[in-house]
Amino acid sequence: MIKKLNVTDVFQNIQLRDDYMKIKAFILLQFISFLTIAAEPENVLNKRGLSCIANLHATILESSPQDLKIKMALQLSYNFNIDGTGSLVATGSIKNSNTEKYTISRIVFFNYKYIGESGYKITVADIERYNLDDYPKDDLGLYLSLGHKNSVIYIYEIHFGYLFSNAFSPVFICYEK
Amino acid sequence: MMRYLIHNRFYFDTTNGMLWVDHPNVEHSAGVFSLPESAINLLAFLIMNKDKIISREEILGEIWERHDLKASYNNLGNYLYLIRKAFKDLGSDVDVIITHPRIGLQLNTAISVEEIVYSDLSIDELKYSKTKPSRKNKFIYASAFMLFILFLIFIFYYNSLGERYINAKEHEEINSLRINKVKSLKKCNIYTINPGVNTVITDSEILSKIPESNIECNFNKEILYYNEPSLKKNDTTEIKHSLFVICSHDQKTERNRCISEYTIER
């Protein structure tokens, strides 16, 4: 016996199957977009890079083994590329308690790697000094526990700039160029 | 015009002899054949007499002689082959037409045949008209849309799309750091950073560090203050850190400019 079908039912069944497929694809697309965009939200550097400037006046006071007082007045210009490379242009002066004063004018080339929780491991690749730079050492970052060999910098994006911190404390605010 | 759904997969239209798979919209069909007129008549005749075995003589009379066409067993054999091949090429896994030796032909009783009844709309109108969604469908559409909106809101809030400006001026908590707004002095907003959950710096302490006369608060400024002793990990040497930052907002460039004063005592 030939069974009769209403053609609108036929269309609706096919349309319903298509609709379910579209909805499933739509939801899957949203989920993938969410994972892509929301993943690692704290990794601001690898996501879009960063170019910023910090004006830092730092005072380091050590009472042992001997009294030492170091004052730094530096302008730090950071460039973080999304590929994990970066550079720091440091200009200014450094003065120690022996009244020795040095001029700083150098570029530090480094690589960085995100290690989680806003932390980036810095590996210094090269340091270039300009003629004016007469500070003999490469350990500028060491005084700040920041940016020296294989150190970790924490970079937090706050509403008026980027807060750079070492493992112990915040050190300066870097504002976008 | 008659249209049939054969074996739940194959559509057969007797007006134009189209035979296709799965979707009534021919443009999207997985495959389509156009049968010649005699093949159309033969298949339609077998469908109409689905429950009977029809002799070759009856078929020749009905399909050819009645239409003043030359009847021959060869012709019948050729068109049978054509129909069987069309179904096979469209992916049929069964013989649609069964030959009963010395008796006749019959449409395979194991396959279903359903006649599609047309509504008042023409086939083209049905193709392009939108059927009203059922209540279940509406619910699914609404849920998917709400989910999409929630995703957008979440992503926008989480990543601050656009200028990426985190407008958390009263309180920000990022990992273990908490940034609290202590006070506003004229156009200066003063914040503290508390590294530990239980550490609190009082208003009076912060205000004693920022004599109002030394800072011009007639223009927008953000002032950040941090003063926290901490112990080094490997020994008991106490180290004091303090940070004092003044950021002023340049109206022309709409950018901040900050000066950070950092002191470490060990």
Side-chain angles (χ1 to χ4, degrees):
Chain A
M1 178 126 179
I2 293 174
K3 183 175 149 189
K4 296 199 175 192
L5 273 181
N6 190 310
V7 69
T8 52
D9 290 335
V10 173
F11 271 107
Q12 201 157 25
N13 284 336
I14 291 164
Q15 192 176 0
L16 185 63
R17 185 188 62 198
D18 287 346
D19 289 344
Y20 275 126
M21 293 297 293
K22 283 177 194 169
I23 289 167
K24 272 198 266 185
F26 180 74
I27 291 173
L28 186 63
L29 184 65
Q30 296 310 310
F31 184 66
I32 292 169
S33 304
F34 167 71
L35 285 180
T36 307
I37 295 169
E40 288 192 343
E42 298 153 358
N43 183 3
V44 297
L45 300 190
N46 286 120
K47 281 180 86 173
R48 51 190 176 88
L50 175 64
S51 291
C52 67
I53 295 175
N55 298 300
L56 174 64
H57 298 165
T59 304
I60 295 102
L61 301 167
E62 287 192 13
S63 56
S64 67
Q66 58 190 16
D67 285 344
L68 178 70
K69 183 176 178 181
I70 295 171
K71 293 196 87 169
M72 290 192 271
L74 298 170
Q75 186 180 74
L76 306 172
S77 179
Y78 280 95
N79 273 308
F80 291 90
N81 304 311
I82 56 175
D83 63 355
T85 62
S87 63
L88 162 63
V89 177
T91 55
S93 64
I94 179 168
K95 185 178 170 183
N96 65 22
S97 50
N98 295 331
T99 68
E100 291 167 337
K101 187 175 178 181
Y102 300 96
T103 300
I104 304 294
S105 180
R106 59 184 59 181
I107 302 179
V108 179
F109 296 98
F110 58 84
N111 298 308
Y112 72 89
K113 187 181 174 186
Y114 184 65
I115 60 168
E117 293 190 298
S118 303
Y120 300 87
K121 187 171 178 185
I122 303 293
T123 310
V124 175
D126 193 16
I127 301 177
E128 278 183 16
R129 289 197 191 81
Y130 292 114
N131 288 340
L132 290 174
D133 190 307
D134 57 6
Y135 184 67
K137 298 178 186 176
D138 291 340
D139 60 356
L140 270 182
L142 192 62
Y143 291 118
L144 306 172
S145 300
L146 195 72
H148 63 286
K149 183 182 174 183
N150 295 333
S151 64
V152 176
I153 296 180
Y154 295 89
I155 300 174
Y156 305 96
E157 186 178 6
I158 60 175
H159 70 275
F160 50 89
Y162 293 85
L163 183 64
F164 279 53
S165 301
N166 58 32
F168 311 106
S169 80
V171 182
F172 56 81
I173 294 278
C174 197
Y175 55 95
E176 279 195 271
K177 289 180 187 175
Chain B
M1 174 169 59
M2 301 280 263
R3 189 176 279 196
Y4 298 97
L5 178 62
I6 302 169
H7 199 35
N8 284 322
R9 284 187 61 203
F10 307 99
Y11 289 89
F12 172 54
D13 190 318
T14 61
T15 46
N16 51 24
M18 305 294 274
L19 183 65
W20 70 93
V21 174
D22 211 29
H23 200 288
N25 187 340
V26 174
E27 286 84 17
H28 298 292
S29 174
V32 61
F33 281 88
S34 179
L35 297 173
E37 187 178 349
S38 295
I40 298 169
N41 295 336
L42 174 58
L43 183 56
F45 186 64
L46 289 170
I47 288 171
M48 290 305 298
N49 296 280
K50 186 177 184 302
D51 300 320
K52 295 192 293 186
I53 301 173
I54 309 171
S55 67
R56 282 184 165 76
E57 289 73 25
E58 189 179 348
I59 291 172
L60 287 175
E62 182 63 34
I63 306 300
W64 276 273
E65 287 171 4
R66 183 183 274 202
H67 298 281
D68 293 325
L69 298 169
K70 187 179 176 186
S72 78
Y73 289 110
N74 274 346
N75 275 350
L76 177 57
N78 289 339
Y79 287 114
L80 260 179
Y81 171 78
L82 205 68
I83 294 168
R84 283 172 170 149
K85 188 172 186 308
F87 275 100
K88 190 179 173 187
D89 287 349
L90 288 174
S92 174
D93 53 355
V94 296
D95 277 332
V96 176
I97 302 173
I98 302 294
T99 302
H100 298 275
R102 292 189 290 279
I103 302 177
L105 302 169
Q106 185 185 20
L107 205 73
N108 191 338
T109 54
I111 63 174
S112 63
V113 177
E114 294 160 11
E115 182 184 346
I116 298 175
V117 174
Y118 295 106
S119 63
D120 291 336
L121 294 171
S122 71
I123 188 68
D124 283 330
E125 284 171 302
L126 279 167
K127 255 197 271 180
Y128 297 111
S129 72
K130 289 190 177 177
T131 57
K132 275 186 183 177
S134 64
R135 190 178 285 181
K136 188 178 176 184
N137 240 6
K138 279 183 190 172
F139 177 74
I140 292 169
Y141 278 129
S143 303
F145 183 70
M146 285 304 299
L147 203 62
F148 175 65
I149 297 295
L150 281 172
F151 271 139
L152 278 182
I153 291 169
F154 184 83
I155 288 168
F156 181 80
Y157 173 76
Y158 208 50
N159 284 310
S160 300
L161 292 174
E163 292 185 354
R164 298 184 56 84
Y165 186 79
I166 302 173
N167 193 20
K169 293 206 170 173
E170 298 298 322
H171 170 80
E172 283 181 88
E173 186 162 341
I174 306 158
N175 292 342
S176 60
L177 285 184
R178 282 187 303 128
I179 298 176
N180 297 316
K181 186 174 179 180
V182 173
K183 198 181 173 70
S184 291
L185 285 174
K186 294 184 186 176
K187 292 191 178 182
C188 290
N189 294 317
I190 302 167
Y191 302 85
T192 62
I193 305 174
N194 301 314
V197 175
N198 299 318
T199 305
V200 175
I201 296 177
T202 59
D203 283 10
S204 56
E205 182 184 344
I206 179 69
L207 291 173
S208 69
K209 302 285 182 185
I210 308 175
E212 195 172 339
S213 56
N214 288 343
I215 298 170
E216 182 60 66
C217 282
N218 291 328
F219 302 99
N220 289 331
K221 282 190 174 68
E222 313 283 352
I223 297 171
L224 183 68
Y225 175 68
Y226 170 81
N227 186 21
E228 190 75 12
S230 67
L231 288 176
K232 231 177 169 181
K233 276 185 184 174
N234 298 326
D235 59 41
T236 56
T237 309
E238 189 174 272
I239 304 170
K240 288 183 184 176
H241 306 269
S242 68
L243 174 65
F244 186 79
V245 184
I246 302 176
C247 292
S248 50
H249 188 71
D250 190 320
Q251 298 282 1
K252 285 181 186 174
T253 62
E254 291 193 0
R255 292 196 181 275
N256 287 328
R257 185 180 179 277
C258 305
I259 297 175
S260 304
E261 292 188 13
Y262 175 68
T263 303
I264 177 169
E265 249 182 281
R266 44 184 170 221

